């Protein structure tokens, strides 16, 4: 199964922020670290905030930060929310009967692909954001050029901000 760039960017934003939990970052900073368009990341950050994984703070010293501890953010939940329902083949669509495939009514491939998607999702459910950064925080900070304690503003426990 191939993830969309939207899902990829969603996971990257979360990993960036988990590399230094409690730290607030700007979209520009994350964009620079990954070489990704700020416009794309703005949409991603809005989505992650709407889902409750990020808290955003506007104005001077504003930015984005994790709204939950990394241990509470399940990779599978992020992928499912970003991807929507898995559609590994055309026959998984809502209108199966309208397909041009002549074997759609008797094909066993659909069941095999459904089983593969379930296995893929089951693996993602076993991991949290904390698992992705565990024992790697210092390396991630260095690779992503995150200065410890630096950021858009002071990180506050439970900073409300807008979501």
């Amino acid at each position: 199964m191939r993830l969309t760039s939207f899902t990829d960017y969603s996971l990257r934003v979360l990993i960036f922020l988990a590399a230094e939990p409690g730290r607030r970052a700007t979209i520009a900073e994350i964009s620079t670290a990954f070489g990704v368009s700020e416009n794309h990341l703005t949409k991603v950050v809005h989505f992650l905030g709407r889902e409750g994984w990020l808290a955003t703070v506007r104005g001077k010293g504003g930015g984005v930060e994790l709204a939950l501890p990394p241990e509470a953010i399940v990779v599978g939940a992020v992928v499912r929310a970003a991807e929507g329902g898995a559609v590994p083949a055309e026959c998984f669509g809502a209108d199966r009967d309208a397909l041009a495939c002549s074997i759609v009514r008797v094909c066993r491939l659909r069941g095999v692909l459904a089983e593969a998607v379930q296995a893929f999702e089951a693996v993602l459910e076993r991991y949290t954001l904390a698992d992705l950064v565990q024992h790697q925080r210092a390396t991630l900070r260095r690779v992503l050029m995150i200065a410890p304690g630096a950021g858009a503003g002071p990180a506050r426990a439970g900073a409300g901000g807008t979501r």
Side-chain angles (χ1 to χ4, degrees):
M1 184 169 172
R2 182 181 171 114
L3 301 178
T4 62
S5 58
F6 186 84
T7 302
D8 177 27
Y9 297 161
S10 295
L11 294 168
R12 289 191 209 191
V13 167
L14 292 170
I15 289 168
F16 184 97
L17 295 169
E20 180 91 15
R23 177 185 181 278
R24 196 174 301 144
T26 65
I27 291 173
E29 186 179 7
I30 300 168
S31 169
T32 299
F34 288 113
V36 174
S37 155
E38 284 187 43
N39 288 336
H40 289 318
L41 288 185
T42 299
K43 294 172 190 170
V44 167
V45 164
H46 178 73
F47 159 76
L48 293 170
R50 198 176 62 237
E51 293 295 319
W53 294 306
L54 291 186
T56 58
V57 179
R58 297 180 191 265
K60 184 176 169 98
V64 296
E65 59 193 2
L66 293 177
L68 300 170
E71 299 79 22
I73 300 174
V74 177
V75 174
V78 175
V79 170
R80 245 187 348 275
E83 289 289 320
V87 183
E90 188 178 24
C91 57
F92 278 74
D95 195 11
R96 288 188 348 198
D97 295 332
L99 296 177
C101 181
S102 59
I103 64 169
V104 71
R105 294 187 194 287
V106 295
C107 182
R108 295 188 64 202
L109 178 62
R110 180 176 159 85
V112 170
L113 292 176
E115 183 179 344
V117 167
Q118 287 173 350
F120 177 77
E121 290 176 349
V123 169
L124 295 178
E125 285 299 314
R126 294 193 327 239
Y127 294 93
T128 67
L129 183 57
D131 295 321
L132 300 182
V133 300
Q134 185 177 32
H135 307 298
Q136 297 293 324
R137 285 197 168 106
T139 303
L140 283 168
R141 285 192 300 263
R142 189 173 55 255
V143 170
L144 296 172
M145 297 176 283
I146 302 171
R156 294 171 296 221
T162 59
R163 289 191 180 185

